[in-house]
Amino acid sequence: MNWETVIGLEIHVQLATRSKIFSGAATAYGAEANAQACAVDIALPGVLPVINEEAIRSAIKFGLAINAQIPKCSVFARKNYFYPDLPKGYQISQFELPIVVGGRVEIQLPGGNRKIINVTRAHLEEDAGKSVHKGFSGFTGIDLNRAGTPLIEIVSEPEMRSAEEAVAYMKKIHTLVRYLEISDGNMQEGSFRCDANVSVRIEGETAMGTRAEIKNINSFRFVEQAINHEVDRQIDILENGGEIIQETRLYDPAKNETRSMRSKEEANDYRYFPDPDLLPVELDQDEIEAIRTQLPELPDAKCQRFINDFGLSDYDSHTLTANRDIADYFEAAVEASGGEAKLCANWIMGELTASLNKDNQNITRSPISADMLAQLILRIKDNTISNNIAKQVFEAMWGGEGDADSIIETKGLKQVTDTGAIEKLVDDIIADNSAQVDQYRRSPEEKRGKLIGYFVGQVMKKSQGKANPQQVNLLLKEKLAG
Ligand code: ADP
Ligand code: MG
C-alpha cells in the first residue's frame, strides 16, 4: 500500500524580551534556580499580571512578516491544567482570539522546489517552569525561572508531507524570527522548539488519519528522525490491522524511538475561559503600520535581491540569506572586493562555513572579517596567489597569523609569474622525466591532454604550488611538442 504522511507543526518561540510577559522578572538564561521568579511568577495570592508591550510588538512583527491578519482585538485566556511546574494551576495563553491569524511562509525543498505552507494562527502565551530531578535524592525540585517567559506558539496547517518539508518549514520560521530579532532562536537553551503532529493515510484518501503529537523537539535533526520514526511506527500498526490512538509521545534521540506520554487532552479538558485579570489587547491600524515600518528586509526579499543584483544562483542565494549575519557578511565582502560576488559566495559557503562549523563558532565572531576575506579574494583575482595557495593563506588567517597580504609576504607565497623562472622549472622536469616525455610525444593529440597533467603536477610541486598554473600549462605544451 502507498501511504501519505501528514504533518502539522506547533512551534514555540521564546521572545527576546528582557522581562517576562506578565511580570518584571528577568528572562536571562542560566540564572540560579528561582532567582528570577517574582511574586507573579510563583502565583502568590492577590498578584495581578501586567502585559509586556514588547511581547505584543514582537508577535505583531511576526504576523506582518508572514502576511497574516492582525485582528484589532485579541484576548488572553486561561488554560487550566495541573502540573507541578505551573503554580497558578493554569497557563495564560490565547485561545479563541489570538493575536496573529493566518499567514504563510514559502519553504525551499532540497531539490530546489518551493512550497507554500499556511499558518493557522500564532498566539502569545507564557512558558511554564521546570521540574529538576537531579541532585535531590528522590525528591524533585521546581525551578520557576522560566515560568512567565514570553512565547509565541505558531501553529501550521497540516500541509507538510514529509519530514524533509517539516524541517524546511521549521528552518524557515527560525530564519524569520532571527531576522526579526524577536528571538535568539537558541535551540539548546529551549528558545525554539516544536511539537510535531504526525498522521498517515492511504494515498488518495482525503480524510486525515488519527495523529500522534511528538512533544518538545529542540533540534532540526531530531525533528526529522522523530517524524520518520513515527511514520514507520504508524504504518506498521495500520498494516497489521491495528489502530492509532491520539496521544502525546516523546522522542528519545538516544534510542531513536517515540514513547507514549499520555493520551491527548481535547480542548474542552482545559476549560479555557478569558482571563478576567487581563484586558483584551486592542490595536489600531496606526500602531500596526508603525511596527510594519520597523521590519527589516525579509529573507525572501533578500534572497531575490542577491539573485538579481549579484547574479547568484537560487541555491547560493538561499543558503547565504538563511542567516541574516551571513547575508550581511557576504554583502560586506562583496563590497570590499569590488563586486566579486561569486568568489565571495564560494569562499563563505566553502572554507569559511567549514571552519566556523569545525570550531563551533558564529560568523559574527569569525577571526576572518569580511574585509580580510575580500583582500584574500583580490589576491586570487590579481594572480598574486593561486586558488590552492589561497587556502593555505586562509588557514593562516583563521589561526590569527595576520591578514592576507602580510601572510603572503612573510611566508613567501607570491605566485611565480616570471617566465624565466617558470621556464627553468619546466626544463628541469622535462629533463628528469625522459620516459614520460617519450610516451607523451608518441601519443595522439586526444591522449595528450590527460598526460600533460602529470607534468603540470610535477612543476607545481617543485614550485611549492607557487608557479602560475596557466603559464606552466602553456610552456609545457610548447616544449613537450618537441
Ligand atoms: P492541539 O491544540 O490539540 O494540539 P490543533 O487542532 O490546534 O490541536 O492542531 C495542532 C496541530 O496539529 C496543527 O499544526 C495541525 O495542523 C496539526 N494536525 C491536526 N490534525 C492533524 C492530523 N490528522 N495529522 C497531522 N497533523 C494534524
Ligand atoms: Mg498541541
Side-chain angles (χ1 to χ4, degrees), residues 233-249:
R233 188 189 72 88
Q234 291 186 12
I235 291 174
D236 201 49
I237 291 175
L238 293 170
E239 290 193 339
N240 285 294
E243 232 177 273
I244 306 298
I245 30 179
Q246 184 165 330
E247 63 180 352
T248 300
R249 299 180 69 86

PDB file of all heavy atoms in Angstrom, residues 233-249:
ATOM      1  N   ARG A 233       6.306   3.730  12.542  1.00  0.00           N
ATOM      2  CA  ARG A 233       5.555   3.074  13.621  1.00  0.00           C
ATOM      3  C   ARG A 233       4.067   3.004  13.277  1.00  0.00           C
ATOM      4  O   ARG A 233       3.431   1.954  13.406  1.00  0.00           O
ATOM      5  CB  ARG A 233       5.744   3.855  14.932  1.00  0.00           C
ATOM      6  CG  ARG A 233       5.174   3.177  16.170  1.00  0.00           C
ATOM      7  CD  ARG A 233       5.217   4.108  17.381  1.00  0.00           C
ATOM      8  NE  ARG A 233       4.234   5.176  17.298  1.00  0.00           N
ATOM      9  CZ  ARG A 233       2.975   5.103  17.735  1.00  0.00           C
ATOM     10  NH1 ARG A 233       2.549   4.004  18.315  1.00  0.00           N
ATOM     11  NH2 ARG A 233       2.152   6.120  17.601  1.00  0.00           N
ATOM     12  N   GLN A 234       3.531   4.129  12.767  1.00  0.00           N
ATOM     13  CA  GLN A 234       2.097   4.155  12.464  1.00  0.00           C
ATOM     14  C   GLN A 234       1.748   3.225  11.308  1.00  0.00           C
ATOM     15  O   GLN A 234       0.747   2.514  11.353  1.00  0.00           O
ATOM     16  CB  GLN A 234       1.649   5.594  12.158  1.00  0.00           C
ATOM     17  CG  GLN A 234       1.695   6.497  13.395  1.00  0.00           C
ATOM     18  CD  GLN A 234       1.123   7.892  13.147  1.00  0.00           C
ATOM     19  OE1 GLN A 234       0.490   8.144  12.123  1.00  0.00           O
ATOM     20  NE2 GLN A 234       1.326   8.794  14.085  1.00  0.00           N
ATOM     21  N   ILE A 235       2.587   3.246  10.273  1.00  0.00           N
ATOM     22  CA  ILE A 235       2.309   2.386   9.120  1.00  0.00           C
ATOM     23  C   ILE A 235       2.342   0.921   9.553  1.00  0.00           C
ATOM     24  O   ILE A 235       1.471   0.117   9.184  1.00  0.00           O
ATOM     25  CB  ILE A 235       3.330   2.639   7.981  1.00  0.00           C
ATOM     26  CG1 ILE A 235       3.086   4.035   7.392  1.00  0.00           C
ATOM     27  CG2 ILE A 235       3.222   1.579   6.891  1.00  0.00           C
ATOM     28  CD1 ILE A 235       4.102   4.466   6.355  1.00  0.00           C
ATOM     29  N   ASP A 236       3.314   0.602  10.378  1.00  0.00           N
ATOM     30  CA  ASP A 236       3.447  -0.760  10.867  1.00  0.00           C
ATOM     31  C   ASP A 236       2.180  -1.206  11.609  1.00  0.00           C
ATOM     32  O   ASP A 236       1.650  -2.286  11.374  1.00  0.00           O
ATOM     33  CB  ASP A 236       4.668  -0.806  11.799  1.00  0.00           C
ATOM     34  CG  ASP A 236       5.179  -2.205  11.946  1.00  0.00           C
ATOM     35  OD1 ASP A 236       5.357  -2.859  10.894  1.00  0.00           O
ATOM     36  OD2 ASP A 236       5.382  -2.645  13.096  1.00  0.00           O
ATOM     37  N   ILE A 237       1.676  -0.338  12.488  1.00  0.00           N
ATOM     38  CA  ILE A 237       0.460  -0.670  13.253  1.00  0.00           C
ATOM     39  C   ILE A 237      -0.715  -0.873  12.304  1.00  0.00           C
ATOM     40  O   ILE A 237      -1.433  -1.870  12.368  1.00  0.00           O
ATOM     41  CB  ILE A 237       0.127   0.453  14.264  1.00  0.00           C
ATOM     42  CG1 ILE A 237       1.177   0.472  15.373  1.00  0.00           C
ATOM     43  CG2 ILE A 237      -1.276   0.281  14.838  1.00  0.00           C
ATOM     44  CD1 ILE A 237       1.020   1.618  16.361  1.00  0.00           C
ATOM     45  N   LEU A 238      -0.872   0.091  11.359  1.00  0.00           N
ATOM     46  CA  LEU A 238      -2.037   0.032  10.472  1.00  0.00           C
ATOM     47  C   LEU A 238      -1.977  -1.179   9.546  1.00  0.00           C
ATOM     48  O   LEU A 238      -2.988  -1.825   9.289  1.00  0.00           O
ATOM     49  CB  LEU A 238      -2.158   1.334   9.667  1.00  0.00           C
ATOM     50  CG  LEU A 238      -2.489   2.568  10.531  1.00  0.00           C
ATOM     51  CD1 LEU A 238      -2.348   3.848   9.731  1.00  0.00           C
ATOM     52  CD2 LEU A 238      -3.903   2.458  11.112  1.00  0.00           C
ATOM     53  N   GLU A 239      -0.789  -1.488   9.070  1.00  0.00           N
ATOM     54  CA  GLU A 239      -0.680  -2.638   8.153  1.00  0.00           C
ATOM     55  C   GLU A 239      -0.898  -3.958   8.876  1.00  0.00           C
ATOM     56  O   GLU A 239      -1.183  -4.967   8.258  1.00  0.00           O
ATOM     57  CB  GLU A 239       0.676  -2.621   7.432  1.00  0.00           C
ATOM     58  CG  GLU A 239       0.734  -1.467   6.432  1.00  0.00           C
ATOM     59  CD  GLU A 239       1.892  -1.546   5.454  1.00  0.00           C
ATOM     60  OE1 GLU A 239       2.874  -2.236   5.768  1.00  0.00           O
ATOM     61  OE2 GLU A 239       1.778  -0.920   4.374  1.00  0.00           O
ATOM     62  N   ASN A 240      -0.754  -3.923  10.191  1.00  0.00           N
ATOM     63  CA  ASN A 240      -1.025  -5.136  10.959  1.00  0.00           C
ATOM     64  C   ASN A 240      -2.419  -5.124  11.567  1.00  0.00           C
ATOM     65  O   ASN A 240      -2.698  -5.847  12.527  1.00  0.00           O
ATOM     66  CB  ASN A 240       0.038  -5.324  12.044  1.00  0.00           C
ATOM     67  CG  ASN A 240       1.354  -5.798  11.435  1.00  0.00           C
ATOM     68  OD1 ASN A 240       1.421  -6.910  10.914  1.00  0.00           O
ATOM     69  ND2 ASN A 240       2.358  -4.948  11.441  1.00  0.00           N
ATOM     70  N   GLY A 241      -3.267  -4.281  10.998  1.00  0.00           N
ATOM     71  CA  GLY A 241      -4.673  -4.287  11.413  1.00  0.00           C
ATOM     72  C   GLY A 241      -4.955  -3.516  12.701  1.00  0.00           C
ATOM     73  O   GLY A 241      -6.065  -3.574  13.221  1.00  0.00           O
ATOM     74  N   GLY A 242      -3.963  -2.808  13.196  1.00  0.00           N
ATOM     75  CA  GLY A 242      -4.165  -2.072  14.449  1.00  0.00           C
ATOM     76  C   GLY A 242      -4.746  -0.688  14.227  1.00  0.00           C
ATOM     77  O   GLY A 242      -5.114  -0.314  13.110  1.00  0.00           O
ATOM     78  N   GLU A 243      -4.842   0.078  15.281  1.00  0.00           N
ATOM     79  CA  GLU A 243      -5.421   1.414  15.230  1.00  0.00           C
ATOM     80  C   GLU A 243      -4.470   2.390  15.906  1.00  0.00           C
ATOM     81  O   GLU A 243      -3.840   2.055  16.910  1.00  0.00           O
ATOM     82  CB  GLU A 243      -6.719   1.399  16.042  1.00  0.00           C
ATOM     83  CG  GLU A 243      -7.918   1.939  15.283  1.00  0.00           C
ATOM     84  CD  GLU A 243      -9.160   1.816  16.151  1.00  0.00           C
ATOM     85  OE1 GLU A 243      -9.809   0.750  16.122  1.00  0.00           O
ATOM     86  OE2 GLU A 243      -9.449   2.784  16.884  1.00  0.00           O
ATOM     87  N   ILE A 244      -4.418   3.618  15.379  1.00  0.00           N
ATOM     88  CA  ILE A 244      -3.585   4.644  16.017  1.00  0.00           C
ATOM     89  C   ILE A 244      -4.426   5.309  17.099  1.00  0.00           C
ATOM     90  O   ILE A 244      -5.590   5.633  16.866  1.00  0.00           O
ATOM     91  CB  ILE A 244      -3.149   5.710  14.987  1.00  0.00           C
ATOM     92  CG1 ILE A 244      -2.475   5.076  13.775  1.00  0.00           C
ATOM     93  CG2 ILE A 244      -2.253   6.768  15.629  1.00  0.00           C
ATOM     94  CD1 ILE A 244      -1.211   4.314  14.083  1.00  0.00           C
ATOM     95  N   ILE A 245      -3.836   5.506  18.272  1.00  0.00           N
ATOM     96  CA  ILE A 245      -4.569   6.272  19.269  1.00  0.00           C
ATOM     97  C   ILE A 245      -4.023   7.691  19.306  1.00  0.00           C
ATOM     98  O   ILE A 245      -2.824   7.913  19.179  1.00  0.00           O
ATOM     99  CB  ILE A 245      -4.491   5.665  20.697  1.00  0.00           C
ATOM    100  CG1 ILE A 245      -3.177   4.920  20.894  1.00  0.00           C
ATOM    101  CG2 ILE A 245      -5.693   4.793  20.987  1.00  0.00           C
ATOM    102  CD1 ILE A 245      -3.044   4.344  22.280  1.00  0.00           C
ATOM    103  N   GLN A 246      -4.942   8.648  19.455  1.00  0.00           N
ATOM    104  CA  GLN A 246      -4.500  10.038  19.542  1.00  0.00           C
ATOM    105  C   GLN A 246      -3.841  10.250  20.889  1.00  0.00           C
ATOM    106  O   GLN A 246      -4.470  10.101  21.934  1.00  0.00           O
ATOM    107  CB  GLN A 246      -5.701  10.984  19.386  1.00  0.00           C
ATOM    108  CG  GLN A 246      -5.236  12.446  19.386  1.00  0.00           C
ATOM    109  CD  GLN A 246      -6.294  13.403  18.892  1.00  0.00           C
ATOM    110  OE1 GLN A 246      -7.123  13.048  18.071  1.00  0.00           O
ATOM    111  NE2 GLN A 246      -6.241  14.621  19.386  1.00  0.00           N
ATOM    112  N   GLU A 247      -2.558  10.570  20.862  1.00  0.00           N
ATOM    113  CA  GLU A 247      -1.823  10.681  22.126  1.00  0.00           C
ATOM    114  C   GLU A 247      -0.610  11.582  21.954  1.00  0.00           C
ATOM    115  O   GLU A 247      -0.232  11.951  20.850  1.00  0.00           O
ATOM    116  CB  GLU A 247      -1.362   9.291  22.584  1.00  0.00           C
ATOM    117  CG  GLU A 247      -0.401   8.654  21.597  1.00  0.00           C
ATOM    118  CD  GLU A 247       0.077   7.266  22.010  1.00  0.00           C
ATOM    119  OE1 GLU A 247      -0.208   6.843  23.147  1.00  0.00           O
ATOM    120  OE2 GLU A 247       0.750   6.621  21.191  1.00  0.00           O
ATOM    121  N   THR A 248      -0.027  11.909  23.076  1.00  0.00           N
ATOM    122  CA  THR A 248       1.202  12.685  23.104  1.00  0.00           C
ATOM    123  C   THR A 248       2.354  11.729  23.293  1.00  0.00           C
ATOM    124  O   THR A 248       2.309  10.878  24.169  1.00  0.00           O
ATOM    125  CB  THR A 248       1.164  13.678  24.275  1.00  0.00           C
ATOM    126  OG1 THR A 248       0.043  14.539  24.088  1.00  0.00           O
ATOM    127  CG2 THR A 248       2.413  14.527  24.311  1.00  0.00           C
ATOM    128  N   ARG A 249       3.386  11.870  22.452  1.00  0.00           N
ATOM    129  CA  ARG A 249       4.531  10.975  22.558  1.00  0.00           C
ATOM    130  C   ARG A 249       5.803  11.786  22.753  1.00  0.00           C
ATOM    131  O   ARG A 249       5.860  12.983  22.466  1.00  0.00           O
ATOM    132  CB  ARG A 249       4.642  10.076  21.314  1.00  0.00           C
ATOM    133  CG  ARG A 249       3.423   9.183  21.128  1.00  0.00           C
ATOM    134  CD  ARG A 249       3.522   8.287  19.910  1.00  0.00           C
ATOM    135  NE  ARG A 249       4.532   7.239  20.057  1.00  0.00           N
ATOM    136  CZ  ARG A 249       4.317   6.063  20.629  1.00  0.00           C
ATOM    137  NH1 ARG A 249       3.131   5.755  21.100  1.00  0.00           N
ATOM    138  NH2 ARG A 249       5.301   5.169  20.714  1.00  0.00           N
TER     139      ARG A 249
END
